[in-house]
């Protein structure tokens, strides 16, 4: 199957980029609400509707939710791409719809999505509220879980650009986790089902992004929703959409999340999972914090008349300004930085650093500078 072509055919073209809000998705949901498939299942802290989309008649029940963190929108886009596939009338769509019943919450945290924040309007991280259930959004998610009684849960998130695949120097474009169900991180029947499915999806994705798939840390935290659902005996899979080179809008990453969803459900529907492949799962390298957005090497800096050669790095802050996400680069660290990588790297070859301030890179300073007054960088990027 040509997953690339399948993505192109089913991509939801009305949404793109990083800033995906309730206003972005309501027209799509209205389009799909043909047979009462779309419902309002509750409201956010600020009274915004939280929607569900239910499709399929199969006995295996799949529960998927996205944008639990409001600024993590890549999987929301991929989820709508997948919903398009379910509605395209193809043989594959029919196969999936007769095998599964899909219960989707495309945007659990509409307030955080509007504000482009991780937390909800009460400044609570919903992914740390699975036990206390203090927030309306957390209560809605748990109520659906209890009523729907899924056979599998898909917990859809984004991860920052700082994550790489172990120490390979490759970004973690997509990462997965079969969360632990206890402090000892043991593998029971439920967790093994999630492990086996992830290992199978990984084999498919390696054909498209070899070496760019990571495995998230599996330390147990019962306050996290994935750990809770795994503890309650439902195989749960964490998706983390990460960085693909030169793809800060995450349109390429979106494609790989779509591929992961489609291939996973095909594998499940055809009962094509190899049993007990824990070793293949553990062979997926762990995520590691090894990346910065920009790295500048072998830079000459003049400290009070003493010249040294060093390195420094800059990182984007994603700032919401007038309903648009602005990527603003700031210097974050100066030093040896051994073992770290930049998504963009530049070797200054001992050229002298200069800027409009103190002529030394300072943490939290905007990344506008030059080398030898010949090579200029604005917002971290080389000006050619």
């Amino acid at each position: 199957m040509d997953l690339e072509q399948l993505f192109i055919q089913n991509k939801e073209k009305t949404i793109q980029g990083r800033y995906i809000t309730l206003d972005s998705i309501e027209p799509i949901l209205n389009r799909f609400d043909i047979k009462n498939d779309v419902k309002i299942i509750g409201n956010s802290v600020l009274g915004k509707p939280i929607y569900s989309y239910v499709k399929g008649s199969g006995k295996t029940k799949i529960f998927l939710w996205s944008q639990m963190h409001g600024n993590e929108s890549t999987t929301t886009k991929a989820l709508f791409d997948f919903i398009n596939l379910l509605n395209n009338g193809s043989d594959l769509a029919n196969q999936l719809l007769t095998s599964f019943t899909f219960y989707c919450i495309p945007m659990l945290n509409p307030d955080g999505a509007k504000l482009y924040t991780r937390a909800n309007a009460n400044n609570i991280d919903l992914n740390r509220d699975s036990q206390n259930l203090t927030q309306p959004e957390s209560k809605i998610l748990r109520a659906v879980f209890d009523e729907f009684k899924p056979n599998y849960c898909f917990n859809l998130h984004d991860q920052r650009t700082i994550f790489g695949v172990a120490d390979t120097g490759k970004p973690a474009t997509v990462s997965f986790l079969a969360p632990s169900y206890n402090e000892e991180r043991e593998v029971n029947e439920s967790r093994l089902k999630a492990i086996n499915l992830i290992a199978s999806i990984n084999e498919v994705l390696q054909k498209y992004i070899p070496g760019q798939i990571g495995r998230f840390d599996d330390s147990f935290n019962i306050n996290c929703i994935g750990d809770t659902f795994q503890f309650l005996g439902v195989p749960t899979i964490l998706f983390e959409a990460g960085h693909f080179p030169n793809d800060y809008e995450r349109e390429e990453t979106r494609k790989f999340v779509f591929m992961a969803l489609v291939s996973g459900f095909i594998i499940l529907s055809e009962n094509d999972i190899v049993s007990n492949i824990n070793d293949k799962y553990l062979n997926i390298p762990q995520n590691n914090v090894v990346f910065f957005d920009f790295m500048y090497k072998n830079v000459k800096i003049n400290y009070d008349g003493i010249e040294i050669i060093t390195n420094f790095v800059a990182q984007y802050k994603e700032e919401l300004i007038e309903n648009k996400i602005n990527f603003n680069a700031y210097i974050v660290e100066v030093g040896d930085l051994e073992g770290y990588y930049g998504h963009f790297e530049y070797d200054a070859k001992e050229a002298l650093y200069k800027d409009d301030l103190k002529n030394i890179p300072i943490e939290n300073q905007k990344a506008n500078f030059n080398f030898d007054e010949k090579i200029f960088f604005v917002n971290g990027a080389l000006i050619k």
Side-chain angles (χ1 to χ4, degrees):
M1 178 177 293
D2 188 342
L3 291 175
E4 293 258 13
Q5 189 61 33
L6 201 64
F7 170 74
I8 292 169
Q9 292 169 351
N10 293 283
K11 182 178 180 180
E12 177 53 56
K13 296 181 175 61
T14 65
I15 50 175
Q16 59 185 351
R18 298 292 289 277
Y19 190 48
I20 306 297
T21 67
L22 194 61
D23 291 339
S24 308
I25 69 168
E26 281 185 321
I28 310 171
L29 291 168
N30 289 335
R31 193 173 79 222
F32 285 132
D33 192 16
I34 299 170
K35 297 180 180 179
N36 204 29
D37 295 332
V38 177
K39 289 185 171 63
I40 294 174
I41 54 175
N43 296 94
S44 68
V45 171
L46 298 180
K48 297 298 182 182
I50 295 172
Y51 290 93
S52 68
Y53 177 79
V54 181
K55 189 80 169 177
S57 58
K59 66 177 184 179
T60 302
K61 294 186 284 186
I62 307 293
F63 186 25
L64 310 96
W65 64 95
S66 184
Q67 262 177 293
M68 168 176 268
H69 296 140
N71 59 353
E72 298 179 3
S73 58
T74 306
T75 54
T76 303
K77 296 184 292 185
L79 184 55
F80 278 110
D81 301 334
F82 176 69
I83 291 172
N84 277 343
L85 186 154
L86 293 180
N87 285 276
N88 70 12
S90 66
D91 290 343
L92 175 57
N94 292 331
Q95 173 187 335
L96 297 180
L97 291 172
T98 55
S99 298
F100 304 108
T101 299
F102 296 99
Y103 193 115
C104 310
I105 302 178
M107 184 176 288
L108 182 65
N109 182 6
D111 299 340
K114 183 67 175 178
L115 297 168
Y116 200 69
T117 57
R118 177 182 174 89
N120 74 346
N122 284 334
N123 199 30
I124 298 297
D125 184 340
L126 300 177
N127 202 28
R128 299 295 183 271
D129 191 41
S130 71
Q131 293 299 300
N132 295 330
L133 299 175
T134 64
Q135 302 303 299
E137 300 93 343
S138 307
K139 293 174 183 176
I140 290 166
L141 187 69
R142 181 58 184 267
V144 171
F145 176 86
D146 290 340
E147 182 178 348
F148 183 57
K149 294 180 172 54
N151 299 106
Y152 284 87
C153 290
F154 286 68
N155 186 11
L156 307 177
H157 288 263
D158 277 47
Q159 64 184 7
R160 296 172 60 196
T161 60
I162 59 176
F163 288 103
V165 177
D167 57 356
T168 64
K170 290 188 175 184
T173 300
V174 182
S175 297
F176 297 100
L177 174 67
S180 298
Y181 75 94
N182 63 6
E183 292 282 357
E184 293 74 25
R185 312 187 205 186
E186 294 174 320
V187 176
N188 59 1
E189 182 180 355
S190 171
R191 191 180 183 203
L192 185 60
K193 287 182 179 179
I195 283 171
N196 289 341
L197 183 55
I198 289 171
S200 299
I201 293 171
N202 176 59
E203 289 188 345
V204 174
L205 285 190
Q206 289 291 347
K207 301 171 186 175
Y208 297 92
I209 42 174
Q212 290 175 229
I213 300 162
R215 178 168 51 88
F216 219 73
D217 176 69
D218 67 348
S219 298
F220 180 68
N221 184 348
I222 193 63
N223 296 306
C224 294
I225 195 66
D227 301 54
T228 291
F229 288 169
Q230 197 87 278
F231 171 80
L232 292 172
V234 179
T236 300
I237 298 171
L238 172 69
F239 277 56
E240 293 280 354
H243 185 68
F244 185 84
N246 302 313
D247 180 38
Y248 282 92
E249 297 295 333
R250 299 222 165 148
E251 291 298 305
E252 285 296 307
T253 300
R254 162 192 196 165
K255 174 176 67 177
F256 301 122
V257 173
F258 169 85
M259 290 177 172
L261 290 171
V262 173
S263 60
F265 294 132
I266 290 173
I267 290 163
L268 275 180
S269 70
E270 296 177 350
N271 198 24
D272 196 25
I273 296 181
V274 178
S275 298
N276 199 11
I277 49 177
N278 190 34
D279 288 347
K280 288 188 176 181
Y281 171 75
L282 293 176
N283 284 336
I284 301 172
Q286 277 202 282
N287 272 5
N288 204 357
V289 178
V290 291
F291 267 100
F292 294 93
D293 291 319
F294 301 93
M295 176 174 281
Y296 312 95
K297 299 179 177 180
N298 301 311
V299 179
K300 183 185 293 184
I301 299 174
N302 191 325
Y303 277 107
D304 296 329
I306 301 173
E307 291 184 342
I308 64 170
I309 305 299
T310 190
N311 309 307
F312 70 95
V313 287
Q315 192 74 13
Y316 279 132
K317 289 182 181 178
E318 298 166 23
E319 299 174 332
L320 179 62
I321 302 173
E322 296 181 350
N323 292 321
K324 183 180 178 181
I325 304 304
N326 291 261
F327 292 86
N328 293 319
Y330 296 86
I331 295 169
V332 292
E333 193 170 340
V334 181
D336 181 74
L337 297 163
E338 184 177 355
Y340 288 91
Y341 307 91
H343 293 300
F344 168 87
E345 295 188 356
Y346 185 85
D347 187 346
K349 298 178 180 178
E350 301 189 5
L352 181 64
Y353 173 96
K354 290 192 175 184
D355 59 33
D356 292 333
L357 298 171
K358 296 183 178 180
N359 289 323
I360 56 172
I362 299 173
E363 290 183 22
N364 297 317
Q365 174 179 304
K366 198 77 178 355
N368 299 325
F369 54 88
N370 69 79
F371 296 138
D372 284 342
E373 296 185 337
K374 295 178 181 178
I375 303 168
F376 292 82
F377 295 81
V378 174
N379 200 30
L382 175 64
I383 302 301
K384 296 182 180 179

